[in-house]
Amino acid sequence: DGGITQSPKYLFRKEGQNVTLSCEQNLNHDAMYWYRQDPGQGLRLIYYSQIVNDFQKGDIAEGYSVSREKKESFPLTVTSAQKNPTAFYLCASSIDENTEAFFGQGTRLTVV
Amino acid sequence: QKEVEQDPGPLSVPEGAIVSLNCTYSNSAFQYFMWYRQYSRKGPELLMYTYSSGNKEDGRFTAQVDKSSKYISLFIRDSQPSDSATYLCAIFPSGSARQLTFGSGTQLTVLP
């Protein structure tokens, strides 16, 4: 089955720890995105990547980092510098920048 | 003013009703329009994607775009309890899906 797989589904982190969220796609899409969703708010773009080994900051990149070493994979690291990391994180991909985005099932991160 | 405004709801309708979900946007550069359905604790699922003014129909769903008024709508005919979800509008300008901007979502409940 083609799709976007995010793991884990739920993640708990202690304050001060870094944590990495996984996103893998087998759709052969060039573009990949990370969004954050908070209750009552729309999705906000954290980082995006148009091609391998290239990525750009989105609107709320502070406290986050990414890598794009393979076309299929776009992991997101939430660092201890992110002051309010508890949220629902969504990964998406699209064929290119002119096409619709498809989403994974999300990772709910809770800082305890 | 937000770039995309969406009626927040919540909206509750009886089974079989016609549902109208709406968004307005402020930037005339936006050219691509999408509607996503998001069930609780899941990733958004693409329902409709269009880039022209007018209507696009897919089964019980009709997406309507009025670029002159900067207004988009999603109509659901013969609504079912399984349509109960949050509906997100999303738009972006030509050639720049990284600028995909989401509405905050309308929570819909269809009562059996």
Short mmCIF file of all heavy atoms in Angstrom, two decimals, chain A residues 59-110:
data_model
loop_
_atom_site.label_atom_id
_atom_site.label_comp_id
_atom_site.label_asym_id
_atom_site.label_seq_id
_atom_site.Cartn_x
_atom_site.Cartn_y
_atom_site.Cartn_z
N ASP A 59 6.98 28.48 9.13
CA ASP A 59 6.59 29.62 9.94
C ASP A 59 6.98 29.50 11.41
O ASP A 59 7.11 30.51 12.11
CB ASP A 59 5.07 29.81 9.85
CG ASP A 59 4.62 30.04 8.42
OD1 ASP A 59 5.29 30.80 7.70
OD2 ASP A 59 3.61 29.43 8.01
N ILE A 60 7.16 28.26 11.89
CA ILE A 60 7.44 28.07 13.32
C ILE A 60 8.59 27.09 13.52
O ILE A 60 8.50 26.14 14.27
CB ILE A 60 6.17 27.59 14.07
CG1 ILE A 60 5.60 26.32 13.43
CG2 ILE A 60 5.10 28.67 14.09
CD1 ILE A 60 4.57 25.62 14.31
N ALA A 61 9.73 27.33 12.89
CA ALA A 61 10.84 26.39 12.90
C ALA A 61 11.67 26.41 14.19
O ALA A 61 12.43 25.47 14.45
CB ALA A 61 11.75 26.67 11.71
N GLU A 62 11.55 27.43 14.98
CA GLU A 62 12.39 27.55 16.17
C GLU A 62 12.18 26.38 17.13
O GLU A 62 11.05 26.05 17.49
CB GLU A 62 12.12 28.86 16.91
CG GLU A 62 13.06 29.10 18.07
CD GLU A 62 12.86 30.45 18.73
OE1 GLU A 62 12.12 31.30 18.16
OE2 GLU A 62 13.43 30.68 19.80
N GLY A 63 13.30 25.74 17.52
CA GLY A 63 13.22 24.60 18.44
C GLY A 63 13.05 23.26 17.74
O GLY A 63 12.92 22.24 18.41
N TYR A 64 13.06 23.27 16.42
CA TYR A 64 12.92 22.04 15.63
C TYR A 64 14.09 21.91 14.66
O TYR A 64 14.70 22.90 14.27
CB TYR A 64 11.63 22.06 14.81
CG TYR A 64 10.36 22.17 15.61
CD1 TYR A 64 9.72 23.41 15.78
CD2 TYR A 64 9.77 21.04 16.18
CE1 TYR A 64 8.54 23.51 16.49
CE2 TYR A 64 8.59 21.14 16.90
CZ TYR A 64 7.99 22.38 17.05
OH TYR A 64 6.82 22.48 17.77
N SER A 65 14.39 20.67 14.28
CA SER A 65 15.36 20.44 13.22
C SER A 65 14.92 19.24 12.39
O SER A 65 14.15 18.39 12.86
CB SER A 65 16.77 20.19 13.79
OG SER A 65 16.80 18.99 14.54
N VAL A 66 15.38 19.20 11.13
CA VAL A 66 15.01 18.12 10.22
C VAL A 66 16.23 17.69 9.43
O VAL A 66 17.26 18.36 9.43
CB VAL A 66 13.90 18.54 9.24
CG1 VAL A 66 12.59 18.81 9.96
CG2 VAL A 66 14.33 19.75 8.41
N SER A 67 16.08 16.58 8.72
CA SER A 67 17.07 16.14 7.75
C SER A 67 16.33 15.49 6.59
O SER A 67 15.20 15.02 6.75
CB SER A 67 18.07 15.16 8.37
OG SER A 67 17.41 13.98 8.79
N ARG A 68 16.95 15.46 5.43
CA ARG A 68 16.36 14.81 4.26
C ARG A 68 17.48 14.11 3.49
O ARG A 68 17.89 14.51 2.42
CB ARG A 68 15.65 15.84 3.37
CG ARG A 68 14.87 15.19 2.21
CD ARG A 68 13.50 14.81 2.58
NE ARG A 68 12.80 14.08 1.56
CZ ARG A 68 12.11 14.60 0.54
NH1 ARG A 68 12.09 15.92 0.37
NH2 ARG A 68 11.47 13.84 -0.29
N GLU A 69 17.94 13.03 4.07
CA GLU A 69 19.04 12.26 3.47
C GLU A 69 18.54 11.29 2.40
O GLU A 69 19.31 10.87 1.53
CB GLU A 69 19.82 11.54 4.55
CG GLU A 69 20.49 12.48 5.55
CD GLU A 69 21.18 11.74 6.67
OE1 GLU A 69 21.14 10.49 6.68
OE2 GLU A 69 21.75 12.41 7.55
N LYS A 70 17.28 10.91 2.50
CA LYS A 70 16.67 10.01 1.52
C LYS A 70 15.35 10.60 1.07
O LYS A 70 14.68 11.28 1.84
CB LYS A 70 16.44 8.62 2.13
CG LYS A 70 17.67 7.91 2.59
CD LYS A 70 17.32 6.49 3.04
CE LYS A 70 16.39 6.49 4.23
NZ LYS A 70 16.10 5.12 4.70
N LYS A 71 14.96 10.29 -0.14
CA LYS A 71 13.71 10.82 -0.68
C LYS A 71 12.52 10.39 0.17
O LYS A 71 11.55 11.13 0.33
CB LYS A 71 13.53 10.35 -2.12
CG LYS A 71 12.36 10.97 -2.86
CD LYS A 71 12.36 10.53 -4.31
CE LYS A 71 11.26 11.24 -5.08
NZ LYS A 71 11.28 10.88 -6.52
N GLU A 72 12.58 9.17 0.69
CA GLU A 72 11.44 8.59 1.39
C GLU A 72 11.29 9.06 2.83
O GLU A 72 10.26 8.84 3.44
CB GLU A 72 11.55 7.06 1.42
CG GLU A 72 11.92 6.40 0.11
CD GLU A 72 13.41 6.44 -0.14
OE1 GLU A 72 14.18 5.88 0.66
OE2 GLU A 72 13.80 7.06 -1.16
N SER A 73 12.32 9.67 3.38
CA SER A 73 12.34 9.90 4.82
C SER A 73 12.58 11.36 5.18
O SER A 73 13.45 12.01 4.60
CB SER A 73 13.44 9.02 5.44
OG SER A 73 13.51 9.23 6.83
N PHE A 74 11.82 11.85 6.16
CA PHE A 74 11.94 13.26 6.56
C PHE A 74 11.71 13.34 8.08
O PHE A 74 10.66 13.79 8.54
CB PHE A 74 10.92 14.10 5.79
CG PHE A 74 11.10 15.59 5.90
CD1 PHE A 74 12.35 16.18 5.87
CD2 PHE A 74 9.98 16.42 6.00
CE1 PHE A 74 12.51 17.56 5.93
CE2 PHE A 74 10.11 17.81 6.06
CZ PHE A 74 11.38 18.37 6.03
N PRO A 75 12.67 12.92 8.89
CA PRO A 75 12.47 12.92 10.34
C PRO A 75 12.53 14.33 10.94
O PRO A 75 13.28 15.18 10.46
CB PRO A 75 13.64 12.06 10.85
CG PRO A 75 14.68 12.17 9.78
CD PRO A 75 13.94 12.31 8.48
N LEU A 76 11.74 14.52 11.98
CA LEU A 76 11.68 15.80 12.69
C LEU A 76 12.20 15.61 14.11
O LEU A 76 11.72 14.71 14.82
CB LEU A 76 10.24 16.31 12.73
CG LEU A 76 9.97 17.55 13.58
CD1 LEU A 76 10.50 18.80 12.89
CD2 LEU A 76 8.48 17.69 13.88
N THR A 77 13.15 16.42 14.53
CA THR A 77 13.63 16.39 15.91
C THR A 77 13.07 17.60 16.66
O THR A 77 13.21 18.75 16.19
CB THR A 77 15.16 16.40 15.97
OG1 THR A 77 15.66 15.19 15.37
CG2 THR A 77 15.65 16.45 17.42
N VAL A 78 12.42 17.32 17.75
CA VAL A 78 11.92 18.37 18.63
C VAL A 78 12.97 18.54 19.72
O VAL A 78 13.23 17.62 20.50
CB VAL A 78 10.56 18.00 19.24
CG1 VAL A 78 10.02 19.14 20.08
CG2 VAL A 78 9.58 17.62 18.15
N THR A 79 13.61 19.67 19.76
CA THR A 79 14.71 19.87 20.69
C THR A 79 14.21 20.47 22.00
O THR A 79 13.07 20.94 22.10
CB THR A 79 15.79 20.78 20.09
OG1 THR A 79 15.32 22.13 20.11
CG2 THR A 79 16.13 20.37 18.66
N SER A 80 15.09 20.49 22.96
CA SER A 80 14.75 21.04 24.27
C SER A 80 14.54 22.56 24.19
O SER A 80 14.00 23.17 25.11
CB SER A 80 15.86 20.73 25.28
OG SER A 80 17.10 21.20 24.82
N ALA A 81 14.94 23.16 23.08
CA ALA A 81 14.76 24.60 22.90
C ALA A 81 13.32 24.96 22.53
O ALA A 81 12.93 26.13 22.61
CB ALA A 81 15.70 25.11 21.81
N GLN A 82 12.53 23.95 22.15
CA GLN A 82 11.12 24.21 21.81
C GLN A 82 10.36 24.39 23.13
O GLN A 82 10.24 23.44 23.91
CB GLN A 82 10.55 23.07 20.98
CG GLN A 82 9.05 23.07 20.77
CD GLN A 82 8.47 24.40 20.32
OE1 GLN A 82 7.55 24.92 20.93
NE2 GLN A 82 9.01 24.94 19.25
N LYS A 83 9.82 25.57 23.32
CA LYS A 83 9.28 25.89 24.64
C LYS A 83 7.92 25.27 24.92
O LYS A 83 7.53 25.10 26.08
CB LYS A 83 9.18 27.41 24.77
CG LYS A 83 10.53 28.11 24.64
CD LYS A 83 10.54 29.47 25.26
CE LYS A 83 11.88 30.17 25.06
NZ LYS A 83 13.02 29.34 25.42
N ASN A 84 7.17 24.95 23.93
CA ASN A 84 5.84 24.38 24.13
C ASN A 84 5.63 23.24 23.14
O ASN A 84 4.85 23.37 22.19
CB ASN A 84 4.78 25.48 23.95
CG ASN A 84 3.39 24.99 24.30
OD1 ASN A 84 3.24 24.00 25.01
ND2 ASN A 84 2.39 25.67 23.79
N PRO A 85 6.29 22.12 23.33
CA PRO A 85 6.30 21.08 22.31
C PRO A 85 5.07 20.17 22.31
O PRO A 85 4.87 19.44 21.33
CB PRO A 85 7.54 20.26 22.66
CG PRO A 85 7.69 20.45 24.13
CD PRO A 85 7.22 21.84 24.43
N THR A 86 4.26 20.19 23.33
CA THR A 86 3.09 19.31 23.37
C THR A 86 2.13 19.71 22.27
O THR A 86 1.61 20.82 22.25
CB THR A 86 2.40 19.40 24.74
OG1 THR A 86 3.27 18.87 25.73
CG2 THR A 86 1.10 18.60 24.73
N ALA A 87 1.89 18.79 21.32
CA ALA A 87 1.05 19.08 20.16
C ALA A 87 0.87 17.80 19.35
O ALA A 87 1.47 16.77 19.63
CB ALA A 87 1.67 20.17 19.29
N PHE A 88 0.07 17.93 18.32
CA PHE A 88 -0.13 16.85 17.34
C PHE A 88 0.70 17.22 16.11
O PHE A 88 0.53 18.30 15.54
CB PHE A 88 -1.63 16.78 17.00
CG PHE A 88 -2.04 15.58 16.20
CD1 PHE A 88 -1.59 14.31 16.53
CD2 PHE A 88 -2.92 15.71 15.14
CE1 PHE A 88 -1.99 13.20 15.80
CE2 PHE A 88 -3.32 14.61 14.41
CZ PHE A 88 -2.86 13.35 14.75
N TYR A 89 1.62 16.33 15.72
CA TYR A 89 2.53 16.62 14.61
C TYR A 89 2.14 15.80 13.39
O TYR A 89 1.95 14.57 13.47
CB TYR A 89 3.98 16.32 15.01
CG TYR A 89 4.50 17.29 16.04
CD1 TYR A 89 4.31 17.06 17.40
CD2 TYR A 89 5.14 18.46 15.65
CE1 TYR A 89 4.77 17.98 18.34
CE2 TYR A 89 5.60 19.37 16.58
CZ TYR A 89 5.42 19.12 17.93
OH TYR A 89 5.86 20.03 18.87
N LEU A 90 2.06 16.48 12.27
CA LEU A 90 1.62 15.85 11.03
C LEU A 90 2.68 16.00 9.95
O LEU A 90 3.20 17.09 9.72
CB LEU A 90 0.31 16.48 10.55
CG LEU A 90 -0.91 16.13 11.38
CD1 LEU A 90 -2.00 17.16 11.18
CD2 LEU A 90 -1.41 14.75 11.02
N CYS A 91 2.96 14.90 9.29
CA CYS A 91 3.88 14.89 8.16
C CYS A 91 3.04 14.77 6.89
O CYS A 91 2.01 14.08 6.88
CB CYS A 91 4.83 13.72 8.30
SG CYS A 91 6.00 13.53 6.93
N ALA A 92 3.47 15.43 5.84
CA ALA A 92 2.75 15.37 4.58
C ALA A 92 3.74 15.31 3.43
O ALA A 92 4.92 15.64 3.58
CB ALA A 92 1.84 16.59 4.42
N SER A 93 3.24 14.89 2.27
CA SER A 93 4.08 14.90 1.09
C SER A 93 3.24 15.25 -0.13
O SER A 93 2.01 15.11 -0.12
CB SER A 93 4.77 13.54 0.88
OG SER A 93 3.84 12.55 0.49
N SER A 94 3.91 15.73 -1.17
CA SER A 94 3.23 16.02 -2.42
C SER A 94 4.20 15.75 -3.57
O SER A 94 5.42 15.74 -3.37
CB SER A 94 2.73 17.46 -2.47
OG SER A 94 3.79 18.38 -2.35
N ILE A 95 3.64 15.53 -4.75
CA ILE A 95 4.48 15.22 -5.91
C ILE A 95 5.47 16.36 -6.13
O ILE A 95 6.67 16.15 -6.32
CB ILE A 95 3.63 15.00 -7.16
CG1 ILE A 95 2.76 13.75 -6.98
CG2 ILE A 95 4.53 14.86 -8.39
CD1 ILE A 95 1.77 13.55 -8.09
N ASP A 96 4.94 17.57 -6.12
CA ASP A 96 5.79 18.75 -6.24
C ASP A 96 5.05 19.93 -5.61
O ASP A 96 4.02 19.74 -4.98
CB ASP A 96 6.15 19.04 -7.71
CG ASP A 96 4.92 19.22 -8.60
OD1 ASP A 96 3.93 19.82 -8.13
OD2 ASP A 96 4.95 18.77 -9.75
N GLU A 97 5.53 21.12 -5.86
CA GLU A 97 4.97 22.29 -5.18
C GLU A 97 3.67 22.78 -5.79
O GLU A 97 3.10 23.74 -5.31
CB GLU A 97 5.99 23.42 -5.20
CG GLU A 97 7.03 23.28 -4.10
CD GLU A 97 7.53 24.64 -3.65
OE1 GLU A 97 7.88 25.45 -4.52
OE2 GLU A 97 7.56 24.89 -2.44
N ASN A 98 3.21 22.15 -6.85
CA ASN A 98 1.95 22.58 -7.45
C ASN A 98 0.81 21.60 -7.22
O ASN A 98 -0.25 21.75 -7.82
CB ASN A 98 2.13 22.77 -8.96
CG ASN A 98 2.77 24.09 -9.29
OD1 ASN A 98 2.40 25.12 -8.77
ND2 ASN A 98 3.77 24.04 -10.15
N THR A 99 1.05 20.61 -6.38
CA THR A 99 0.04 19.58 -6.21
C THR A 99 -0.37 19.45 -4.75
O THR A 99 0.30 19.92 -3.84
CB THR A 99 0.55 18.23 -6.71
OG1 THR A 99 1.76 17.90 -6.00
CG2 THR A 99 0.84 18.27 -8.19
N GLU A 100 -1.48 18.75 -4.59
CA GLU A 100 -2.06 18.62 -3.26
C GLU A 100 -1.17 17.78 -2.35
O GLU A 100 -0.43 16.92 -2.80
CB GLU A 100 -3.46 18.01 -3.36
CG GLU A 100 -3.50 16.58 -3.87
CD GLU A 100 -3.54 16.50 -5.39
OE1 GLU A 100 -2.94 17.36 -6.07
OE2 GLU A 100 -4.16 15.55 -5.89
N ALA A 101 -1.30 18.05 -1.06
CA ALA A 101 -0.52 17.33 -0.05
C ALA A 101 -1.35 16.21 0.57
O ALA A 101 -2.55 16.34 0.78
CB ALA A 101 -0.06 18.30 1.04
N PHE A 102 -0.68 15.10 0.85
CA PHE A 102 -1.28 13.96 1.52
C PHE A 102 -0.61 13.79 2.87
O PHE A 102 0.61 13.96 2.99
CB PHE A 102 -1.11 12.69 0.68
CG PHE A 102 -1.84 12.76 -0.62
CD1 PHE A 102 -1.21 13.25 -1.76
CD2 PHE A 102 -3.16 12.35 -0.73
CE1 PHE A 102 -1.88 13.34 -2.96
CE2 PHE A 102 -3.83 12.42 -1.93
CZ PHE A 102 -3.19 12.92 -3.05
N PHE A 103 -1.40 13.44 3.87
CA PHE A 103 -0.92 13.43 5.24
C PHE A 103 -0.77 12.03 5.81
O PHE A 103 -1.49 11.09 5.43
CB PHE A 103 -1.89 14.21 6.14
CG PHE A 103 -1.78 15.69 5.98
CD1 PHE A 103 -2.47 16.34 4.98
CD2 PHE A 103 -0.99 16.43 6.85
CE1 PHE A 103 -2.36 17.72 4.82
CE2 PHE A 103 -0.88 17.81 6.70
CZ PHE A 103 -1.57 18.44 5.68
N GLY A 104 0.15 11.90 6.77
CA GLY A 104 0.23 10.72 7.60
C GLY A 104 -0.79 10.81 8.71
O GLY A 104 -1.59 11.76 8.78
N GLN A 105 -0.78 9.82 9.60
CA GLN A 105 -1.78 9.74 10.66
C GLN A 105 -1.40 10.51 11.91
O GLN A 105 -2.16 10.57 12.87
CB GLN A 105 -2.06 8.28 11.01
CG GLN A 105 -2.79 7.55 9.90
CD GLN A 105 -4.11 8.24 9.56
OE1 GLN A 105 -5.02 8.31 10.38
NE2 GLN A 105 -4.22 8.78 8.35
N GLY A 106 -0.21 11.10 11.93
CA GLY A 106 0.15 11.99 13.01
C GLY A 106 0.83 11.31 14.19
O GLY A 106 0.70 10.11 14.40
N THR A 107 1.59 12.11 14.91
CA THR A 107 2.20 11.71 16.18
C THR A 107 1.79 12.71 17.25
O THR A 107 1.97 13.91 17.06
CB THR A 107 3.74 11.68 16.08
OG1 THR A 107 4.15 10.66 15.19
CG2 THR A 107 4.37 11.44 17.46
N ARG A 108 1.23 12.19 18.31
CA ARG A 108 0.85 13.08 19.42
C ARG A 108 1.98 13.08 20.44
O ARG A 108 2.27 12.06 21.04
CB ARG A 108 -0.45 12.62 20.06
CG ARG A 108 -0.96 13.59 21.13
CD ARG A 108 -2.40 13.31 21.51
NE ARG A 108 -3.30 13.44 20.37
CZ ARG A 108 -3.81 14.57 19.94
NH1 ARG A 108 -3.48 15.72 20.53
NH2 ARG A 108 -4.65 14.59 18.93
N LEU A 109 2.62 14.21 20.60
CA LEU A 109 3.74 14.36 21.52
C LEU A 109 3.26 15.06 22.79
O LEU A 109 2.60 16.11 22.72
CB LEU A 109 4.87 15.18 20.88
CG LEU A 109 6.03 15.58 21.79
CD1 LEU A 109 6.78 14.35 22.29
CD2 LEU A 109 6.98 16.52 21.06
N THR A 110 3.59 14.46 23.91
CA THR A 110 3.25 15.05 25.21
C THR A 110 4.52 15.19 26.03
O THR A 110 5.26 14.22 26.19
CB THR A 110 2.25 14.19 25.97
OG1 THR A 110 1.08 14.00 25.16
CG2 THR A 110 1.85 14.85 27.28
#
